[in-house]
Amino acid sequence: DQYQPPDIPKDIPKFEADSQGAYGKEIKDKHFLLGNDYTFLNHGAFGSVLKDALAAGQAWQRHIEAQPLKFLDRELFPQLVYVTRRLCDFIDCKPTEIALIENATTGTNAVLKSMKFTSKDTIYYLDCTYGAVKKLLKFISAENGCNLKQINIPLFVESQQQIIDLVRSTLSQECTFAVFDHIPSNYPIVMPIKEIVKICKERNVPVFIDGAHALGSLPLTLRELDPDFYVSNAHKWFCSPKGCAFLYVKHCWQHKVRSLTVSHGFESGFNSEFIWTGQMLVTKWKTRLAASKNLFGSMCLIQLPEVISKRLARDNKVTYEQAELIQNVLYYDYKIEVPIKAYGNQLYVRISCHLYNDLSDYQKLCDAICVIAEKLV
């Protein structure tokens, strides 16, 4: 390997493993910018940047503006190559297989809009697919007439084998493309992506994986997963500054995938240890998890006390409207930042767990929901 990394004009933050296993407020105060006014249980939404990472990003911005032309014309490309190679070592793929992009949505649009689907195509996806991706699929369908095949997963998933069997039995021969979430936002179980990709390959169905929540929350080895396309954000569980993500495209598809923005690059080539916390809420609220506890990673979906759903339901239906109502009560009255989801005609809370959280954060949520439930009895 003849590669020589470029000189780095700014210091790169270095993080050493804490042998004491520190977490909670100590980690929060040392490494994050999160204030103490609110209990933050929604890292899964937009993440939270590490202090040192943000400082490094701002230092680079100042370096760029000191001589913009020199940086953009002479320094930028080798620095991007260096970053790309380091990232590929971390996620186990070749540097020529990924592109650095702004966010997962950009990558998803680039791939799906580049496929040029027709009325002869059918795109397969599950009902837990991210909402913005569903809207993109509907847009593409309306634009070119391709067919959409949405498959509903069980209301309670007991094992990954259920998902594997479901995909195997419903991915029919008319399907010409498939889209899956690695960790669905609204139903945050860790999907059996390796097995799903294998099924798709057996049936010659190209497969796109939305891994927005994967990088930093679980080991990611793209060589082993072997998808055709994979996208992930770095600003969520990887705690980088906003605007950092990557798109992986297998070499055999790179001739087809084009950037959404046509510029100078055109024709130049393609370049949980918190389940017990969830169980505490289940016990106190006398409800259940949305799936078997071994399926969750850094996020968990827990049913709220049934009285809340019953009292707020309209025509015996629970929707986003009721979920937003409870979410706003938690935010404004209790200073808790956490998303409420309407799923299977019940209300659920999606808790995130990062190093800066501790038990008292979840105890506060537990008590607040109990008070809300009591007021509705």
Short mmCIF file of all heavy atoms in Angstrom, two decimals, residues 255-280:
data_model
loop_
_atom_site.label_atom_id
_atom_site.label_comp_id
_atom_site.label_asym_id
_atom_site.label_seq_id
_atom_site.Cartn_x
_atom_site.Cartn_y
_atom_site.Cartn_z
N HIS A 255 -22.17 2.79 -11.88
CA HIS A 255 -22.39 3.43 -13.17
C HIS A 255 -23.79 4.03 -13.28
O HIS A 255 -24.05 4.91 -14.11
CB HIS A 255 -22.20 2.42 -14.31
CG HIS A 255 -23.27 1.38 -14.38
ND1 HIS A 255 -23.36 0.33 -13.48
CD2 HIS A 255 -24.34 1.24 -15.21
CE1 HIS A 255 -24.41 -0.41 -13.77
NE2 HIS A 255 -25.02 0.12 -14.81
N LYS A 256 -24.67 3.56 -12.38
CA LYS A 256 -26.07 3.98 -12.47
C LYS A 256 -26.44 5.07 -11.47
O LYS A 256 -27.36 5.85 -11.71
CB LYS A 256 -26.96 2.76 -12.25
CG LYS A 256 -28.37 2.91 -12.78
CD LYS A 256 -29.06 1.57 -12.90
CE LYS A 256 -30.39 1.71 -13.62
NZ LYS A 256 -31.07 0.42 -13.81
N VAL A 257 -25.74 5.11 -10.34
CA VAL A 257 -26.09 6.07 -9.29
C VAL A 257 -25.42 7.41 -9.55
O VAL A 257 -24.21 7.49 -9.72
CB VAL A 257 -25.69 5.53 -7.90
CG1 VAL A 257 -25.99 6.57 -6.82
CG2 VAL A 257 -26.43 4.23 -7.61
N ARG A 258 -26.21 8.45 -9.57
CA ARG A 258 -25.72 9.80 -9.84
C ARG A 258 -26.04 10.73 -8.66
O ARG A 258 -27.07 10.58 -8.00
CB ARG A 258 -26.37 10.37 -11.11
CG ARG A 258 -25.90 9.68 -12.38
CD ARG A 258 -24.48 10.09 -12.70
NE ARG A 258 -23.96 9.43 -13.89
CZ ARG A 258 -23.22 8.32 -13.87
NH1 ARG A 258 -22.94 7.75 -12.73
NH2 ARG A 258 -22.77 7.79 -14.99
N SER A 259 -25.16 11.68 -8.45
CA SER A 259 -25.39 12.69 -7.42
C SER A 259 -26.62 13.51 -7.79
O SER A 259 -26.90 13.75 -8.97
CB SER A 259 -24.18 13.60 -7.29
OG SER A 259 -24.47 14.72 -6.48
N LEU A 260 -27.37 13.97 -6.78
CA LEU A 260 -28.54 14.81 -7.04
C LEU A 260 -28.12 16.16 -7.61
O LEU A 260 -28.88 16.82 -8.31
CB LEU A 260 -29.32 15.02 -5.74
CG LEU A 260 -29.98 13.77 -5.14
CD1 LEU A 260 -30.61 14.11 -3.81
CD2 LEU A 260 -31.01 13.20 -6.09
N THR A 261 -26.90 16.59 -7.27
CA THR A 261 -26.38 17.87 -7.76
C THR A 261 -25.32 17.61 -8.82
O THR A 261 -24.31 16.96 -8.56
CB THR A 261 -25.75 18.69 -6.61
OG1 THR A 261 -26.73 18.88 -5.59
CG2 THR A 261 -25.25 20.03 -7.11
N VAL A 262 -25.55 18.10 -10.01
CA VAL A 262 -24.58 17.95 -11.10
C VAL A 262 -23.61 19.11 -11.06
O VAL A 262 -24.01 20.28 -11.14
CB VAL A 262 -25.29 17.90 -12.48
CG1 VAL A 262 -24.25 17.77 -13.59
CG2 VAL A 262 -26.27 16.73 -12.52
N SER A 263 -22.30 18.80 -10.90
CA SER A 263 -21.30 19.85 -10.83
C SER A 263 -20.01 19.35 -11.46
O SER A 263 -20.03 18.48 -12.33
CB SER A 263 -21.08 20.25 -9.36
OG SER A 263 -20.25 21.38 -9.25
N HIS A 264 -18.86 19.86 -10.99
CA HIS A 264 -17.58 19.52 -11.61
C HIS A 264 -17.25 18.03 -11.51
O HIS A 264 -16.43 17.53 -12.28
CB HIS A 264 -16.45 20.33 -10.95
CG HIS A 264 -16.50 21.78 -11.31
ND1 HIS A 264 -16.31 22.25 -12.58
CD2 HIS A 264 -16.73 22.88 -10.54
CE1 HIS A 264 -16.39 23.56 -12.60
NE2 HIS A 264 -16.66 23.98 -11.38
N GLY A 265 -17.87 17.33 -10.57
CA GLY A 265 -17.56 15.92 -10.40
C GLY A 265 -18.21 15.02 -11.44
O GLY A 265 -17.90 13.82 -11.51
N PHE A 266 -19.09 15.57 -12.26
CA PHE A 266 -19.78 14.75 -13.26
C PHE A 266 -18.78 14.12 -14.22
O PHE A 266 -17.84 14.75 -14.68
CB PHE A 266 -20.77 15.61 -14.04
CG PHE A 266 -21.52 14.86 -15.12
CD1 PHE A 266 -22.34 13.81 -14.80
CD2 PHE A 266 -21.35 15.20 -16.45
CE1 PHE A 266 -23.03 13.11 -15.78
CE2 PHE A 266 -22.03 14.53 -17.44
CZ PHE A 266 -22.87 13.47 -17.11
N GLU A 267 -18.97 12.82 -14.49
CA GLU A 267 -18.14 12.02 -15.39
C GLU A 267 -16.73 11.80 -14.85
O GLU A 267 -15.82 11.45 -15.60
CB GLU A 267 -18.06 12.66 -16.79
CG GLU A 267 -19.40 12.67 -17.51
CD GLU A 267 -19.30 13.18 -18.93
OE1 GLU A 267 -18.40 14.01 -19.20
OE2 GLU A 267 -20.10 12.74 -19.78
N SER A 268 -16.55 11.97 -13.52
CA SER A 268 -15.23 11.74 -12.93
C SER A 268 -15.19 10.47 -12.07
O SER A 268 -14.24 10.22 -11.35
CB SER A 268 -14.82 12.95 -12.07
OG SER A 268 -14.67 14.08 -12.88
N GLY A 269 -16.27 9.66 -12.08
CA GLY A 269 -16.28 8.42 -11.32
C GLY A 269 -17.00 8.54 -9.98
O GLY A 269 -17.23 9.63 -9.46
N PHE A 270 -17.31 7.39 -9.38
CA PHE A 270 -18.04 7.34 -8.11
C PHE A 270 -17.13 7.13 -6.86
O PHE A 270 -16.35 6.22 -6.73
CB PHE A 270 -19.01 6.18 -8.16
CG PHE A 270 -19.80 6.06 -6.87
CD1 PHE A 270 -21.00 6.70 -6.72
CD2 PHE A 270 -19.31 5.30 -5.80
CE1 PHE A 270 -21.71 6.60 -5.53
CE2 PHE A 270 -20.01 5.20 -4.61
CZ PHE A 270 -21.22 5.85 -4.48
N ASN A 271 -17.10 8.01 -6.30
CA ASN A 271 -16.33 7.79 -5.07
C ASN A 271 -17.22 7.69 -3.78
O ASN A 271 -18.16 8.38 -3.83
CB ASN A 271 -15.32 8.89 -4.86
CG ASN A 271 -14.20 8.33 -3.97
OD1 ASN A 271 -13.92 7.15 -4.03
ND2 ASN A 271 -13.63 9.20 -3.17
N SER A 272 -26.18 -2.56 24.02
CA SER A 272 -27.19 -1.75 24.64
C SER A 272 -27.40 -2.25 26.01
O SER A 272 -27.84 -3.28 26.26
CB SER A 272 -28.45 -1.83 24.01
OG SER A 272 -29.51 -1.74 24.66
N GLU A 273 -26.98 -1.49 26.73
CA GLU A 273 -27.12 -1.99 28.10
C GLU A 273 -28.24 -1.28 28.84
O GLU A 273 -28.15 -1.01 30.04
CB GLU A 273 -25.80 -1.82 28.86
CG GLU A 273 -24.66 -2.64 28.27
CD GLU A 273 -23.39 -2.46 29.07
OE1 GLU A 273 -23.43 -1.74 30.08
OE2 GLU A 273 -22.38 -3.07 28.69
N PHE A 274 -29.33 -1.02 28.19
CA PHE A 274 -30.39 -0.25 28.84
C PHE A 274 -31.73 -0.96 28.81
O PHE A 274 -32.74 -0.41 29.22
CB PHE A 274 -30.53 1.14 28.19
CG PHE A 274 -31.28 1.15 26.90
CD1 PHE A 274 -32.56 1.66 26.85
CD2 PHE A 274 -30.70 0.64 25.76
CE1 PHE A 274 -33.26 1.67 25.66
CE2 PHE A 274 -31.40 0.66 24.57
CZ PHE A 274 -32.68 1.17 24.52
N ILE A 275 -31.77 -2.20 28.31
CA ILE A 275 -33.05 -2.90 28.23
C ILE A 275 -33.70 -3.01 29.61
O ILE A 275 -34.91 -2.95 29.76
CB ILE A 275 -32.85 -4.29 27.60
CG1 ILE A 275 -32.48 -4.13 26.12
CG2 ILE A 275 -34.09 -5.14 27.73
CD1 ILE A 275 -33.53 -3.37 25.33
N TRP A 276 -32.88 -3.15 30.63
CA TRP A 276 -33.46 -3.25 31.98
C TRP A 276 -34.18 -1.96 32.34
O TRP A 276 -35.13 -1.97 33.11
CB TRP A 276 -32.38 -3.55 33.01
CG TRP A 276 -31.28 -2.56 33.05
CD1 TRP A 276 -30.15 -2.54 32.27
CD2 TRP A 276 -31.19 -1.41 33.89
NE1 TRP A 276 -29.38 -1.46 32.57
CE2 TRP A 276 -29.98 -0.75 33.57
CE3 TRP A 276 -32.00 -0.88 34.89
CZ2 TRP A 276 -29.57 0.41 34.21
CZ3 TRP A 276 -31.59 0.27 35.53
CH2 TRP A 276 -30.39 0.90 35.18
N THR A 277 -33.75 -0.83 31.80
CA THR A 277 -34.46 0.44 32.02
C THR A 277 -35.84 0.37 31.39
O THR A 277 -36.84 0.78 31.99
CB THR A 277 -33.66 1.60 31.39
OG1 THR A 277 -32.35 1.62 31.96
CG2 THR A 277 -34.35 2.92 31.67
N GLY A 278 -35.93 -0.13 30.16
CA GLY A 278 -37.21 -0.32 29.51
C GLY A 278 -38.10 -1.24 30.31
O GLY A 278 -39.32 -1.03 30.44
N GLN A 279 -37.51 -2.28 30.88
CA GLN A 279 -38.28 -3.23 31.68
C GLN A 279 -38.83 -2.57 32.93
O GLN A 279 -39.92 -2.90 33.39
CB GLN A 279 -37.40 -4.44 32.04
CG GLN A 279 -38.18 -5.69 32.39
CD GLN A 279 -39.01 -6.19 31.21
OE1 GLN A 279 -38.51 -6.36 30.12
NE2 GLN A 279 -40.29 -6.41 31.45
N MET A 280 -38.08 -1.63 33.50
CA MET A 280 -38.56 -0.89 34.67
C MET A 280 -39.83 -0.12 34.32
O MET A 280 -40.80 -0.12 35.10
CB MET A 280 -37.48 0.08 35.14
CG MET A 280 -37.92 1.01 36.27
SD MET A 280 -36.82 2.42 36.52
CE MET A 280 -37.23 3.45 35.10
#
